[in-house]
Amino acid sequence: MESPGEDFSPDTLAFMELALEQAKLALDSLEVPVGCVIVEDGKVIASGRNRTTETRNASRHAEMEAVDVLLKDWQKNGLSKLEVAKKFSKCHLYVTCEPCIMCAAALSILGVKEVYYGCTNDKFGGCGSILPLHLGCSEPLKSDGIPQGKGFKCIRGIMASEAVSLLRTFYEQGNPNAPKPHRPLTHQATH
Amino acid sequence: MNKHTDAWQILHVPDKPPIPPGQQPTVNVLASVIEPKIANTLVRRLNQIAPLENLRHVKRVQKKYLEGGKTQLAVILCLACENDNQLDSMQHDVREIVNAYRLSAFITKVSKSAASSKEEWEEQCKLWPTSYHPPTYNIDGITGFSEEDSQLVFSFMRFAVELAKSDDGLMVNAAVIVDPSVKQVIASARDEICSWNTCNNKSSIQTSSSQQLEVCITRSISNVVTDDSLLSKASTNELGRFTGVSCLYPWRWAEQQLSSPNSCYWHPLRHAALVAIESSAARDRLLFHGSREIEDKSFDMEHKSPSTGSPAKRQKLNMKNVEDHAKLDTLAEGNSSVSARPYLCTGYDIYLVWEPCTMCAMALVHQRIRRIFYAFTNPNAGALGSVHRLQGEKSLNHHYAVFRVLLPEEVMV
Ligand SMILES: [Zn+2]
Ligand SMILES: [Zn+2]
């Protein structure tokens, strides 16, 4: 994994901006602000944001949302499974927070090429923080020819502070619908 | 309930990989046989001057039953020196006790770390008695199942296995989410990696689960009796039957044939567990749409945590979560129209035919499942003991208990 630095290309930063836009949309909808875009050949082909609150489905992370969009689009256009697999293998994902173990496993299953993320996720992170799923399996083929976990390249630390500040805003604004007496801690947290 | 019960068995899959018998790490201690009447005084004194700091699981006193109904007590005096096998490594005040009571010290082995399963514990006690504390979280079943609970587990697993079977003899993974408090199926699903029927009415709610269960079991019995073709297929190509199991071959989706070319969509990630979670979420939305979204926010607090936040801050967030949980409870109680709104899948169990892959296992962490029961291990991608062991990942904010259910072979036919 490349170490964080400030020397990201303008394209990389621009795509992360778009992912942050998605995260802001999530925040506006009272969702944990995490967003992503998927890029193929330098073009954004899908975007997604966290929808766990709205759906009451805690697996509806930004990455899963964006992947669903792609699968629908590609199949509408009549792409075969192999063509879809080939497309995924050219995709770059830009996501504001390190993919969790579930999403990292999903990205490995789909076989995406590269993942660019902002802040790390030290509770659930599947790209090095808790499990290094981005490394894939040491032996990609088992002796019986069964394909094993594919890895993907990971670049971290892109606009991490922006990603964190969105999350912080979310935590600090507390729950706007909650009755006031129940929220003493949210005031402390602003200091 | 059924005549094959004896072959069914439930095994706890612990948080740490089990240590093979005889390979548990040990440390040497100095011990001595003592007179029962001085035991109390001696133990109290030894606990003061030579506490067993890193061996809290080890009992200070061993009680041995000798021939002729007699018992013998032995006590651990202190740790023995690593390199030095001699007794003169004994610290001064322990030596004083040894001299005062005319004890004859000997070196013996005790287990170095606390047992993580009942089996390990039994093994440890052969050396020297230890105490066994099942995992700190209090989840039913870790210390064993009652006959009634076992029968319930077996029937839900049977339901899952039946669900996993296809007419052509091939199998997929299947998932059944159950609310054990009312013995009700909340959601059930098969893999949908080959046919994702988006036109499905996802919000169909299952309420009469016990009836369904019975229907299913009856169907399975008649299948076994009548369907000979199914039988023969299974015996000729056992392994081939399982190539369509999503969690077993998650990376193989591109090679898999479409089961029906005109099905709406396919989706490589629609493993049974994820589909079942989706369906239980749909049920939640439908049954409890009146209770406001506010409640959902608190669980998302923990969903992702920024790493650059200071530890102090993180702690505050956690405290806030606790507070929100408490609030949630009061809200649920105060709202008479919604008596027991589920907090995602808190308190629910899931039955899976195969050990879930990493993606599915983590989704079940997110959705706060309480217990996972699976029938077959998944050496390719299993995340509950085979390749990874998410139930033992300490950093995660939720931990479920994992059980393997052994089935008699004929259930799979
Ligand atoms: Zn995720
Ligand atoms: Zn799976």
Side-chain angles (χ1 to χ4, degrees):
Chain A
M1 195 174 339
E2 284 178 20
S3 55
E6 299 307 313
D7 51 348
F8 298 114
S9 76
D11 274 1
T12 301
L13 295 172
F15 290 133
M16 191 53 85
E17 275 298 352
L18 293 173
L20 284 161
E21 289 290 311
Q22 289 294 314
K24 280 174 203 151
L25 287 180
L27 185 68
D28 292 343
S29 315
L30 308 178
E31 299 273 1
V32 174
V34 176
C36 74
V37 294
I38 298 178
V39 174
E40 184 197 18
D41 297 332
K43 262 175 35 198
V44 172
I45 52 170
S47 61
R49 63 164 180 90
N50 205 23
R51 275 182 203 276
T52 52
T53 300
E54 176 196 329
T55 57
R56 294 184 187 175
N57 179 340
S59 72
R60 296 314 299 169
H61 290 182
E63 299 92 321
M64 303 298 247
E65 291 282 325
V67 162
D68 278 8
V69 170
L70 282 187
L71 280 164
K72 274 188 189 164
D73 282 355
W74 286 339
Q75 288 179 61
K76 250 180 225 154
N77 295 335
L79 266 63
S80 72
K81 283 191 172 183
L82 279 171
E83 287 166 328
V84 166
K86 208 167 169 193
K87 277 217 173 253
F88 273 123
S89 73
K90 295 195 295 174
C91 280
H92 297 190
L93 170 82
Y94 292 78
V95 57
T96 56
C97 185
E98 176 186 359
C100 74
I101 290 170
M102 172 189 72
C103 291
L107 294 168
S108 158
I109 291 172
L110 298 172
V112 301
K113 192 175 182 206
E114 291 172 15
V115 172
Y116 297 77
Y117 66 82
C119 59
T120 55
N121 181 344
D122 42 313
K123 256 187 188 168
F124 302 139
C127 300
S129 290
I130 307 302
L131 291 181
L133 299 174
H134 62 298
L135 298 179
C137 258
S138 44
E139 346 155 38
L141 275 183
K142 264 192 157 180
S143 50
D144 53 1
I146 296 166
Q148 294 298 290
K150 293 178 215 165
F152 46 85
K153 192 178 159 193
C154 256
I155 300 97
R156 70 189 156 104
I158 304 132
M159 304 177 84
S161 54
E162 284 86 342
V164 169
S165 95
L166 279 178
L167 288 162
R168 194 165 285 159
T169 309
F170 175 80
Y171 295 131
E172 285 172 3
Q173 81 186 12
N175 188 334
N177 297 320
K180 287 263 187 270
H182 286 292
R183 312 192 303 161
L185 282 172
T186 54
H187 301 298
Q188 288 171 23
T190 54
H191 296 299
Chain B
M1 195 169 225
N2 67 70
K3 48 192 170 212
H4 307 297
T5 335
D6 9 335
W8 292 80
Q9 216 185 324
I10 310 172
L11 306 173
H12 179 223
V13 184
D15 296 354
K16 282 184 280 177
I19 303 164
Q23 287 182 30
Q24 294 195 50
T26 59
V27 287
N28 287 344
V29 293
L30 285 172
S32 168
V33 173
I34 55 166
E35 289 293 322
K37 60 183 180 210
I38 61 163
N40 277 340
T41 326
L42 212 55
V43 166
R44 207 174 305 130
R45 181 88 186 101
L46 285 167
N47 280 342
Q48 278 169 1
I49 61 171
L52 300 174
E53 289 290 0
N54 295 317
L55 296 174
R56 289 181 195 282
H57 59 287
V58 176
K59 296 196 170 166
R60 192 103 210 184
V61 179
Q62 178 196 51
K63 190 175 187 180
K64 250 191 184 165
Y65 295 94
L66 304 175
E67 280 176 47
K70 283 184 187 166
T71 57
Q72 183 192 63
L73 293 188
V75 67
I76 296 176
L77 299 168
C78 59
L79 282 171
C81 251
E82 275 299 316
N83 31 18
D84 182 6
N85 238 13
Q86 280 313 304
L87 305 176
D88 38 82
S89 63
M90 208 185 294
Q91 67 187 75
H92 178 69
D93 35 8
V94 176
R95 175 164 297 281
E96 275 182 354
I97 291 181
V98 169
N99 291 338
Y101 292 97
R102 294 164 182 248
L103 303 178
S104 68
F106 59 90
I107 290 174
T108 188
K109 288 184 189 307
V110 300
S111 292
K112 192 176 180 182
S113 27
S116 57
S117 69
K118 228 171 111 191
E119 291 73 24
E120 273 180 35
W121 174 60
E122 281 161 3
E123 197 66 29
Q124 292 190 347
C125 290
K126 290 176 190 166
L127 294 174
W128 186 278
T130 60
S131 49
Y132 170 51
H133 302 287
T136 46
Y137 49 84
N138 183 24
I139 298 182
D140 295 343
I142 290 179
T143 49
F145 288 84
S146 71
E147 179 58 25
E148 193 196 342
D149 288 346
S150 303
Q151 290 303 333
L152 210 63
V153 167
F154 298 153
S155 33
F156 284 124
M157 185 54 84
R158 189 183 281 273
F159 182 37
V161 170
E162 290 309 317
L163 198 61
K165 293 177 185 173
S166 304
D167 292 338
D168 53 9
L170 299 178
M171 293 201 64
V172 296
N173 208 354
V176 180
I177 296 177
V178 169
D179 179 352
S181 65
V182 289
K183 301 171 183 150
Q184 186 184 319
V185 173
I186 298 295
S188 60
R190 288 163 53 87
D191 283 340
E192 293 186 1
I193 46 176
C194 288
S195 58
W196 168 24
N197 194 352
T198 51
C199 332
N200 248 353
N201 181 14
K202 290 273 161 49
S203 51
S204 70
I205 300 165
Q206 289 158 316
T207 42
S208 54
S209 58
S210 48
Q211 283 162 13
Q212 279 186 358
L213 205 62
E214 247 156 64
V215 169
C216 168
I217 291 169
T218 326
R219 189 173 67 90
S220 82
I221 290 168
S222 62
N223 266 356
V224 172
V225 178
T226 57
D227 199 340
D228 287 327
S229 62
L230 213 65
L231 258 168
S232 56
K233 254 185 227 162
S235 49
T236 48
N237 196 357
E238 235 349 275
L239 257 184
R241 281 180 82 194
F242 306 144
T243 51
V245 176
S246 63
C247 292
L248 264 184
Y249 303 99
W251 298 282
R252 257 198 176 173
W253 57 272
E255 305 159 25
Q256 274 149 2
Q257 298 299 309
L258 291 177
S259 57
S260 54
N262 45 2
S263 65
C264 293
Y265 283 109
W266 46 266
H267 194 307
L269 305 179
R270 288 186 67 80
H271 295 197
L274 289 196
V275 183
I277 287 174
E278 181 184 83
S279 138
S280 87
R283 175 186 183 274
D284 185 356
R285 291 198 302 272
L286 209 76
L287 284 183
F288 302 95
H289 70 102
S291 49
R292 280 288 308 143
E293 242 69 47
I294 38 168
E295 299 167 29
D296 287 338
K297 269 201 65 167
S298 61
F299 26 93
D300 288 330
M301 293 288 185
E302 295 170 279
H303 156 89
K304 292 199 174 181
S305 74
S307 67
T308 47
S310 66
K313 167 153 172 68
R314 213 167 297 138
Q315 208 164 7
K316 266 183 207 161
L317 295 178
N318 288 341
M319 281 170 67
K320 173 148 175 44
N321 288 334
V322 173
E323 184 209 28
D324 278 356
H325 279 278
K327 191 170 66 204
L328 240 177
D329 292 343
T330 34
L331 266 177
E333 278 163 18
N335 193 342
S336 55
S337 63
V338 189
S339 53
R341 171 151 195 270
Y343 166 63
L344 296 177
C345 283
T346 298
Y348 293 173
D349 298 337
I350 191 167
Y351 292 79
L352 291 159
V353 179
W354 270 273
E355 177 189 357
C357 70
T358 309
M359 175 183 69
C360 291
M362 190 60 201
L364 294 168
V365 172
H366 286 317
Q367 200 70 11
R368 310 294 172 101
I369 280 280
R370 175 166 158 264
R371 298 187 297 187
I372 300 179
F373 296 87
Y374 69 81
F376 303 107
T377 54
N378 175 354
N380 299 338
L384 301 180
S386 294
V387 178
H388 299 292
R389 194 176 283 262
L390 291 195
Q391 68 268 44
E393 286 295 338
K394 288 284 170 277
S395 78
L396 303 181
N397 62 342
H398 173 75
H399 296 92
Y400 36 59
V402 179
F403 300 91
R404 186 170 172 207
V405 179
L406 302 183
L407 323 165
E409 262 178 53
E410 61 264 30
V411 176
M412 285 295 284
V413 174

